[in-house]
């Protein structure tokens, strides 16, 4: 069986890496990309990673510091903060409040905004497709102020920043590239900072609907599902661009691979001298994943999959992110209810 695989892929790498195979797991998370790179070498040059354990929340900070690091994990130079919150999958108001507070802290540390900075928030994705609707749903819940300052200029002195928000839709609905829409708005609004929010793809079922990533490197909409559009970053928009994302989908090959590993592990423990596990143990993780994807794709079955509870989850996590952003962008909101324009 292994010889058959070698004959079909004579140029495949001999290590456990993914680069150069023509196949790559679909992940937008720097933490997962770093984990893949560490399979090839325990210490990845130009990349550092540290962890912090809080109540029900694990915070991982990956920093890419050099070109070698960029090439090793396929992520731009910068900082990537990942909050793993398994309990986020369940409606737990107390936990959601703790996540909001932690997001306020992490946003404040990363954004480093001037007192009167002008911010444009971009909610990426398709509002009509629930797993892709995170960005538009966050935008709906933001406290935007740009239009208010003309009527209530005193807000600038009360701890509120100039915030505008847009949900530009997707190419398939509007016929306009997202980057074109955002560039046009940026040219008119002239923000100091752009914050882009999007649904992501993960390499792990355990991180779907339970992880939030924050980055200071911008974002490439759709990259995690193989539909990469022009990046929204400092180079294309001319200002600092931050990204916030939550993985809501994983591809079917990853699910099948995880299931196969669980079956094989059960066979190893419960069926002595079985013949299945030695056969598959000849292959490394990358090769197993490739074989499964090769079987699924010709039949059109390598789908992007999301949990059935995604409707409630996207609403809940959109509310959590919006609340965290509101507090981080408007310091006065931590002390009082927001003012209402009449």
């Amino acid at each position: 069986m292994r010889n058959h695989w070698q004959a079909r892929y004579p140029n495949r790498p001999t290590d456990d890496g993914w680069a150069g195979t023509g196949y790559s797991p679909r992940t937008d998370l720097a933490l997962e990309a770093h984990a893949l790179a560490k399979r090839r070498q325990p210490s990845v040059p130009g990349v550092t990673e540290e962890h912090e354990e809080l109540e029900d929340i694990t915070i991982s900070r990956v920093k890419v510091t050099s070109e070698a690091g960029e090439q090793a994990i396929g992520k731009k130079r910068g900082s990537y903060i990942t909050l793993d919150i398994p309990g986020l999958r369940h409606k737990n108001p107390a936990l959601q409040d703790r996540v909001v507070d932690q997001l306020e802290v992490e946003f404040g540390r990363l954004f480093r905004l001037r007192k009167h900075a002008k911010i444009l928030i971009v909610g990426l994705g398709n509002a009509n497709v629930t797993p892709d609707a995170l960005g538009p749903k966050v935008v709906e819940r933001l406290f935007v102020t740009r239009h208010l300052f003309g009527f209530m200029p005193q807000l600038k002195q009360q701890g509120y920043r100039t915030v505008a928000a847009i949900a530009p839709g997707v190419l398939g609905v509007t016929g306009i590239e997202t980057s074109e829409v955002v560039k046009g708005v940026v040219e008119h609004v002239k923000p100091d900072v752009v914050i882009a929010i999007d649904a992501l793809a993960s390499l792990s079922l355990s991180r779907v609907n339970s992880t939030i990533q924050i980055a200071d490197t911008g974002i490439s909409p759709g990259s995690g599902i193989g539909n990469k559009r022009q990046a929204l970053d400092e180079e294309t928009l001319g200002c600092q661009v931050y990204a916030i994302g939550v993985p809501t989908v994983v591809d079917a090959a990853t699910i099948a691979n995880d299931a196969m590993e669980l079956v094989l592990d059960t066979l190893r423990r419960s069926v002595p001298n079985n013949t299945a596990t030695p056969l598959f143990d000849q292959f490394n993780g990358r090769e197993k994943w490739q074989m499964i994807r090769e079987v699924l794709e010709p039949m059109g079955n390598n789908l992007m999959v999301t949990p059935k509870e995604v409707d409630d989850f996207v609403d809940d996590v959109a509310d959590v992110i919006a609340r965290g952003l509101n507090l981080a962008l408007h310091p006065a909101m931590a002390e009082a209810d927001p003012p209402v324009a009449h």
Side-chain angles (χ1 to χ4, degrees), residues 85-106:
I85 318 130
L88 202 59
R89 292 181 175 182
H90 313 290
K91 190 175 288 290
N92 182 337
L95 175 59
Q96 290 174 355
D97 288 343
R98 289 199 297 275
V99 175
V100 168
D101 291 340
Q102 191 60 41
L103 284 175
E104 179 190 1
V105 171
E106 299 299 335

Side-chain angles (χ1 to χ4, degrees), residues 1-59:
M1 187 174 180
R2 188 178 181 91
N3 289 337
H4 167 74
W5 186 256
Q6 290 172 331
R8 296 198 66 176
Y9 296 93
N11 297 320
R12 66 176 181 81
T14 56
D15 62 9
D16 196 32
W18 300 85
T21 64
Y23 294 86
S24 61
R26 289 170 174 170
T27 179
D28 290 307
L29 300 178
L31 186 64
E32 291 182 338
H34 188 211
L36 286 175
K38 287 193 292 186
R39 292 182 184 180
R40 300 191 296 274
Q41 49 184 335
S43 179
V44 181
V47 183
T48 63
E49 182 178 324
E50 59 182 36
H51 303 273
E52 179 182 357
E53 296 286 342
L54 303 176
E55 183 183 0
D56 300 321
I57 303 172
T58 300
I59 302 174

Side-chain angles (χ1 to χ4, degrees), residues 174-185:
T174 66
I176 307 171
E177 285 281 3
T178 300
S179 59
E180 294 176 323
V181 177
V182 177
K183 283 180 183 178
V185 175

Side-chain angles (χ1 to χ4, degrees), residues 181-319:
V181 177
V182 177
K183 283 180 183 178
V185 175
V186 166
E187 289 174 4
H188 182 77
V189 175
K190 296 180 172 56
D192 300 304
V193 168
V194 170
I195 301 173
I197 303 164
D198 200 7
L200 307 179
S202 175
L203 187 59
S204 170
L205 275 171
S206 65
R207 286 202 172 93
V208 172
N209 291 3
S210 67
T211 298
I212 300 173
Q213 177 177 269
I214 314 164
D216 62 2
T217 58
I219 194 168
S220 295
S223 60
I225 60 170
N227 188 27
K228 190 172 182 179
R229 320 308 303 179
Q230 185 175 6
L232 302 177
D233 54 23
E234 187 169 2
E235 182 179 350
T236 59
L237 298 183
C239 63
Q240 177 65 59
V241 182
Y242 297 96
I244 304 168
V246 176
T248 59
V249 295
V250 64
D251 75 5
T254 296
I255 296 174
N257 185 62
D258 288 351
M260 186 174 75
E261 289 295 339
L262 289 172
V263 170
L264 293 176
D265 185 58
T266 300
L267 288 174
R268 291 185 190 98
R269 290 184 285 104
S270 60
V271 185
N273 304 317
N274 73 85
T275 58
T277 53
L279 179 64
F280 282 97
D281 285 343
Q282 299 177 69
F283 300 94
N284 60 41
R286 171 184 54 79
E287 291 171 332
K288 293 174 186 175
W289 185 86
Q290 284 181 344
M291 285 190 290
I292 292 170
R293 182 170 176 177
E294 181 180 295
V295 170
L296 293 175
E297 287 204 333
M299 298 183 291
N301 290 334
N302 193 27
L303 310 174
M304 300 306 297
V305 182
T306 191
K308 59 184 175 62
E309 304 85 3
V310 69
D311 299 78
D312 290 337
F313 171 78
V314 170
D315 282 334
D316 288 346
V317 77
D319 184 67

